[in-house]
Amino acid sequence: MATATLRPRPQVMRLTDAAAERIRDLTERAEKPIAGLRVGVKNGGCAGMSYTVEYADEIKASDEIVEDKGVKVLVDPKAVLFLLGTEMDFKVDRMAATFVFNNPNQTSACGCGESVAITPAKLPA
């Protein structure tokens, strides 16, 4: 009888150095201790969905934990398939400083950049 071998589980997201540094800064400057930043997606906007980033007071049993470059990001379980393979970056320009998601599952975005269309990732069989 053949035994099944488990493949290592891929990390949902990876962080750029700039994103990790910003997360570290936000975590250190938070008004109260936090467990990390929670990343997710929500329905809304003209393209259908938008990314969310918020402080997380606690780690939920269902959170996907991404530890990269010395910081912790908690991924909302409802967002995992939409964020698989995503690189989270932090960009600063003359008009804004914001987290940017380079997502291979994103199919389009609205003109203002506030909302996106995302197709869930296809998992290998």
Side-chain angles (χ1 to χ4, degrees):
M1 177 184 284
T3 59
T5 56
L6 297 176
R7 287 184 282 172
R9 189 172 179 181
Q11 186 166 295
V12 174
M13 294 175 49
R14 65 187 183 286
L15 307 175
T16 65
D17 291 339
E21 185 58 38
R22 180 62 176 159
I23 292 167
R24 191 173 295 108
D25 182 50
L26 288 171
T27 302
E28 291 170 359
R29 295 189 315 151
E31 293 178 7
K32 60 182 180 176
I34 61 169
L37 289 185
R38 182 168 287 113
V39 175
V41 294
K42 67 178 183 178
N43 291 329
C46 50
M49 299 183 98
S50 58
Y51 297 104
T52 62
V53 179
E54 60 190 14
Y55 289 116
D57 295 328
E58 64 181 351
I59 298 173
K60 297 177 183 174
S62 58
D63 283 333
E64 182 78 25
I65 300 170
V66 173
E67 294 186 70
D68 193 9
K69 298 179 175 58
V71 297
K72 190 178 298 183
V73 174
L74 311 173
V75 179
D76 183 314
K78 294 176 284 210
V80 168
L81 285 178
F82 294 104
L83 296 176
L84 275 175
T86 296
E87 176 188 69
M88 184 176 178
D89 196 4
F90 183 73
K91 299 277 186 187
V92 178
D93 63 27
R94 292 177 16 169
M95 300 298 287
T98 187
F99 285 108
V100 175
F101 295 87
N102 300 311
N103 186 340
N105 307 305
Q106 184 174 312
T107 56
S108 66
C110 67
C112 68
E114 290 296 316
S115 68
V116 294
I118 308 171
T119 303
K122 302 266 190 267
L123 297 177

